[in-house]
Amino acid sequence: MKHLFLAVIAISLIATSMSPFLTSCVKSEAMTVVSPNGKISVDLKKDSSGKLYYTVSRHGSSIIDSSRVGLECKEFRIGNNAEIKAVKHSSFDETWRPVWGEESEIRNNYNEMRVEISELSPKMIEYAVVFRIFDDGIGFRYEIPEQENIDSITIMDELTEFSLAEDGVAWSIPWNHEYYEHLYEPSLVSRLDTVCSPLTIKMTDSCYVAIHEAALKDYAAMNLRVADGTRLTSYLTPWSTGEKVFTKCPLCTPWRTMIIVDKPADLLLSRLMLNLNEPCAIESTEWIKPQRYIGIWWAMHRKVNTWEQGPIHGATTDNTKRYIDFASENGYDGVLVEGWNHGWDGDWSAEGDKFSFTKPYPDFDIEEITRYAAEKGVKLIGHHETGGATINYENQLDSAFALCSRLGISTVKTGYVNLLLDGKELHSSQYGVRHYRNVIETAAKYNVMIDNHEPVMPTGIQRTYPNLMTQEGLRGCEYDAWSADGGNPPEHTVTIPFTRCLAGPVDYTPGILNYENPVPPYTRPQCTIAKQLALALVLYSPLQMSADMIENYEGRPEFEFLRRCPTNWAKTIVPEARIGEFLTIARKDIGSDDWYIGSITNSNSHQGKIKLDFLDPNYEYTATIFADGPDADYKDNPYPVVISEIPVKHTSSLNLNLAKGGGAAAIISKK
Ligand code: NOJ
Ligand code: CA
């Protein structure tokens, strides 16, 4: 049996093709499964009382000690009195092409162990625990097939644990703080309270783990709570009534995932979460397009304009045309306009049910604006702020997206500014998860792409619905306009790539080039201008906003990087990375032979020597570098940017000198 299993692994290692390679199921009693490269191993064990535990090891050392699996439901419990019926092993190896992303091809290669179980609790329940082991981590989930004994299921708790073998340093945010708009703090795992995932942990100098989930559908988001020592238990976001999930058979829970890698750079390159999501459900996807956009946005956050009607209303026909002209002249695809519709006058976040998503304000001539935009080859990006009133929004979804369709508005930014949805439920509850999914699926029917603010934490469903382009779910650039604490500290942007960004694209909206006249007085981006440029490359989003007011881009040579930086990539490389300290990313454009580099640091300066060995050895290139000026410093002198051009080839290195709170950006083009 062991030999047969090894043979399956060997074959799967050889097979890398565009078509899936699936071996037939093999029945076995062994409850062990290893990764295709043999380095990560998972064991499922049953104790004498019938409780189920799993362990994870890597290179033979324990990563996860004995940890429970199971579900506590009103109607029954599983993982408590288990009887193993069958253990089935299989392997899978496929390379697939995402509609957009950080690379044009993704390999999905794993060994699967499906453990089929029956349990008397108090009725006889049949279910399976399914493990998939990749070279860079694991995923597992519970599956309860249709069966006679069960009708509806009320999940009160998931028993899933992650008992870490070491007390590592974790970068976390609290589980229920304002839709994840918080600064990640490092702390020992044993000192954590209840936090949300992704939870990134440095276990040792050569072992980094990130716990999260994949394919969250009609279920509650998973948070993590320290039970004792380094034992984390899952804590599902509850409904206001206390239950976690209302469901029925057949049930497949979201995947519980763990990226397990040697170094921080590899966290960023793991595609395990995407691989655990279902393939694209949208038949023809040619309408789904990565874009760069500008918007009537920063002006409201900076109080130059208002969302509501009045003398400085931002969303006017003339102002929008001005933005459309600028977009057209500078190669931007879209213009976001907030405050275009009825509902903003008054306390909009408390009275979200007053929002209309079809009725423009009188000074916003939507027919003329969309006609003008089409003439200029630019698209209007719609905005649906709901104030968390999802019932009001759902009642208008079809008419709102039908209007978009008719006017050629192919992207909509949504928003949910309110601590509770409909005054009652948390964003990350099953209630919220159902709503967000409804919006994405309805938008897809009308060929509309979504940029979702105040979301539930992403889990990779953009593989299935690639019209879900990007989401917020982090403390973004808006805090640099008005946050009383002065804006996002330099550490924040070198931490989020290793935490929130592991969950998927972020609409952080960098690109502020003018820090003058702040309100409140000390609030502004806490970084140099060169770092603002680099963030547009480092923080991946297929919809990338250059967030400043357009007048702040006039006459600024460094703006060239923002207006050229693509949003869809053939390849991504991470030459250097240290969580909370520094990060350099190189990406190859999908539509040309150009490479782009972004490098960022925290409040310390950083000297990076980036080998360009990823360039094609048959060509010579020119690197245009946007670097911090010699005296630049994020606190006292954020503006100086030096732009230089040097010849480079695959044997060259780029010496990047990053100021305190600084950055560097580069475009490398074939000569
Ligand atoms: C919060 C969003 O994150 C921001 O981008 C938007 O401008 C405001 N809500 C208003 O909808
Ligand atoms: Ca927000």
Side-chain angles (χ1 to χ4, degrees):
M1 179 51 63
K2 196 172 164 205
H3 287 138
L4 177 55
F5 183 44
L6 287 175
V8 166
I9 296 169
I11 296 165
S12 69
L13 270 175
I14 296 162
T16 304
S17 67
M18 296 303 294
S19 61
F21 175 77
L22 185 62
T23 63
S24 60
C25 288
V26 180
K27 206 173 170 218
S28 154
E29 286 310 307
M31 293 209 289
T32 298
V33 54
V34 299
S35 55
N37 66 5
K39 285 185 182 163
I40 298 177
S41 160
V42 171
D43 280 285
L44 186 71
K45 288 179 188 134
K46 188 183 88 162
D47 75 4
S48 52
S49 71
K51 288 196 175 71
L52 290 174
Y53 296 85
Y54 75 103
T55 56
V56 183
S57 62
R58 182 164 159 274
H59 302 305
S61 320
S62 177
I63 303 285
I64 298 290
D65 290 339
S66 238
S67 298
R68 288 286 305 270
V69 288
L71 292 175
E72 184 83 51
C73 307
K74 243 188 200 156
E75 302 79 6
F76 58 87
R77 302 170 92 192
I78 62 173
N80 222 42
N81 183 24
E83 199 183 314
I84 311 294
K85 288 289 178 203
V87 181
K88 294 175 177 172
H89 289 280
S90 61
S91 295
F92 189 79
D93 193 353
E94 169 196 46
T95 299
W96 58 281
R97 288 177 169 275
V99 174
W100 46 259
E102 293 179 84
E103 50 268 303
S104 52
E105 289 188 353
I106 294 177
R107 186 174 177 193
N108 182 9
N109 182 205
Y110 59 80
N111 290 327
E112 179 176 295
M113 176 171 75
R114 182 186 172 82
V115 182
E116 294 177 356
I117 300 162
S118 60
E119 188 155 342
L120 196 60
S121 145
K123 297 179 206 161
M124 190 57 87
I125 314 292
E126 311 286 337
Y127 65 97
V129 187
V130 180
F131 292 88
R132 288 187 183 167
I133 316 302
F134 303 78
D135 286 346
D136 58 359
I138 74 161
F140 62 96
R141 72 174 179 189
Y142 307 97
E143 296 182 6
I144 309 182
E146 197 124 32
Q147 52 201 286
E148 265 186 13
N149 276 338
I150 313 177
D151 184 20
S152 55
I153 304 174
T154 314
I155 300 178
M156 303 304 289
D157 258 317
E158 218 184 273
L159 302 178
T160 314
E161 293 177 346
F162 305 86
S163 197
L164 294 159
E166 307 264 345
D167 193 6
V169 176
W171 284 263
S172 69
I173 55 173
W175 75 282
N176 61 352
H177 180 95
E178 300 197 7
Y179 13 89
Y180 319 107
E181 295 183 6
H182 204 76
L183 299 173
Y184 284 81
E185 302 285 350
S187 122
L188 283 174
V189 170
S190 56
R191 302 233 176 101
L192 293 178
D193 200 337
T194 305
V195 298
C196 67
S197 72
L199 180 67
T200 301
I201 305 158
K202 179 182 177 184
M203 303 268 288
T204 66
D205 282 345
S206 58
C207 182
Y208 289 77
V209 171
I211 303 173
H212 188 38
E213 60 181 320
L216 172 59
K217 186 183 177 189
D218 201 10
Y219 204 83
M222 182 183 73
N223 310 285
L224 296 160
R225 169 173 281 177
V226 172
D228 56 75
T230 57
R231 190 163 58 91
L232 299 167
T233 60
S234 59
Y235 176 69
L236 302 179
T237 299
W239 285 75
S240 52
T241 45
E243 296 89 348
K244 306 291 173 42
V245 177
F246 296 100
T247 185
K248 55 184 178 14
C249 298
L251 167 69
C252 287
T253 67
W255 294 93
R256 279 54 192 102
T257 63
M258 257 181 275
I259 303 174
I260 307 169
V261 289
D262 295 338
K263 50 187 202 300
D266 295 341
L267 291 169
L268 277 56
L269 296 172
S270 173
R271 302 295 172 241
L272 178 156
M273 179 188 70
L274 283 179
N275 281 331
L276 288 168
N277 273 272
E278 296 299 319
C280 185
I282 300 175
E283 229 164 76
S284 80
T285 55
E286 74 289 336
W287 54 275
I288 300 175
K289 294 202 172 84
Q291 303 158 52
R292 285 163 322 116
Y293 70 103
I294 53 171
I296 300 178
W297 181 80
W298 184 245
M300 274 84 92
H301 286 270
R302 290 288 316 279
K303 300 196 191 314
V304 173
N305 286 137
T306 57
W307 282 278
E308 68 273 15
Q309 300 185 90
I312 53 167
H313 184 214
T316 65
T317 305
D318 284 350
N319 199 25
T320 308
K321 284 188 171 179
R322 198 167 66 91
Y323 269 73
I324 291 169
D325 288 343
F326 184 89
S328 168
E329 282 153 24
N330 289 283
Y332 282 86
D333 306 287
V335 174
L336 164 74
V337 184
E338 298 197 357
W340 67 277
N341 56 327
H342 279 268
W344 291 94
D345 309 302
D347 188 356
W348 56 267
S349 79
E351 300 173 324
D353 53 1
K354 294 208 171 132
F355 276 118
S356 162
F357 304 103
T358 50
K359 227 176 135 197
Y361 277 139
D363 55 350
F364 188 80
D365 184 346
I366 199 165
E367 306 278 341
E368 168 58 13
I369 287 167
T370 46
R371 185 204 62 78
Y372 187 76
E375 190 180 294
K376 296 273 174 169
V378 172
K379 294 250 184 187
L380 182 67
I381 297 184
H383 185 229
H384 294 169
E385 171 58 62
T386 67
T390 68
I391 296 170
N392 176 52
Y393 189 32
E394 293 201 9
N395 286 338
Q396 299 182 55
L397 266 190
D398 279 294
S399 51
F401 288 134
L403 177 73
C404 293
S405 247
R406 182 172 74 72
L407 295 174
I409 299 170
S410 53
T411 310
V412 167
K413 171 177 169 180
T414 50
Y416 299 85
V417 178
N418 200 309
L419 290 181
L420 295 172
L421 300 179
D422 299 305
K424 213 169 166 197
E425 306 295 345
L426 292 164
H427 293 58
S428 59
S429 65
Q430 184 183 21
Y431 184 84
V433 170
R434 279 180 178 165
H435 169 73
Y436 294 121
R437 176 63 74 121
N438 185 14
V439 173
I440 296 158
E441 291 186 8
T442 309
K445 282 190 207 143
Y446 290 89
N447 289 11
V448 171
M449 294 170 265
I450 294 292
D451 164 7
N452 183 28
H453 278 227
E454 295 84 33
V456 57
M457 185 61 77
T459 60
I461 59 174
Q462 72 270 21
R463 178 178 179 193
T464 314
Y465 283 96
N467 66 315
L468 173 58
M469 305 298 282
T470 190
Q471 307 202 64
E472 195 190 34
L474 90 169
R475 200 177 130 134
C477 162
E478 59 182 338
Y479 283 75
D480 296 339
W482 41 253
S483 183
D485 61 8
N488 295 330
E491 286 64 30
H492 183 55
T493 37
V494 276
T495 304
I496 53 176
F498 306 94
T499 53
R500 159 63 183 84
C501 298
L502 300 181
V506 280
D507 196 36
Y508 183 89
T509 69
I512 305 302
L513 299 191
N514 185 337
Y515 298 178
E516 303 307 305
N517 306 317
V519 270
Y522 302 106
T523 301
R524 64 158 171 84
Q526 300 297 331
C527 65
T528 65
I529 296 293
K531 183 169 171 182
Q532 282 287 319
L533 308 180
L535 288 174
L537 178 294
V538 168
L539 301 175
Y540 178 64
S541 179
L543 288 184
Q544 190 64 274
M545 187 186 201
S546 295
D548 212 335
M549 294 177 271
I550 51 177
E551 44 274 38
N552 293 334
Y553 293 139
E554 308 278 5
R556 299 290 292 272
E558 64 269 44
F559 173 57
E560 188 189 345
F561 186 83
L562 293 179
R563 66 181 191 86
R564 282 182 60 187
C565 187
T567 53
N568 195 16
W569 305 100
K571 203 168 183 183
T572 290
I573 282 169
V574 185
E576 51 165 20
R578 209 177 282 165
I579 305 176
E581 296 184 39
F582 55 82
L583 170 63
T584 301
I585 298 187
R587 304 188 196 267
K588 184 177 176 294
D589 181 20
I590 210 161
S592 74
D593 291 325
D594 295 352
W595 282 82
Y596 286 72
I597 293 181
S599 185
I600 56 173
T601 183
N602 63 10
S603 50
N604 298 319
S605 57
H606 174 72
Q607 279 74 49
K609 190 172 180 180
I610 310 304
K611 280 194 191 159
L612 303 183
D613 51 5
F614 46 81
L615 296 179
D616 187 332
N618 300 313
Y619 291 90
E620 303 207 323
Y621 294 79
T622 302
T624 308
I625 304 164
F626 303 76
D628 286 321
D631 311 323
D633 171 315
Y634 80 99
K635 265 199 179 132
D636 308 317
N637 195 20
Y639 285 110
V641 178
V642 174
I643 305 175
S644 58
E645 269 191 11
I646 54 168
V648 292
K649 50 187 180 184
H650 79 288
T651 50
S652 314
S653 293
L654 276 190
N655 290 315
L656 300 177
N657 291 319
L658 278 50
K660 291 178 179 172
I667 305 170
I668 305 182
S669 316
K670 274 185 184 166
K671 274 191 176 164

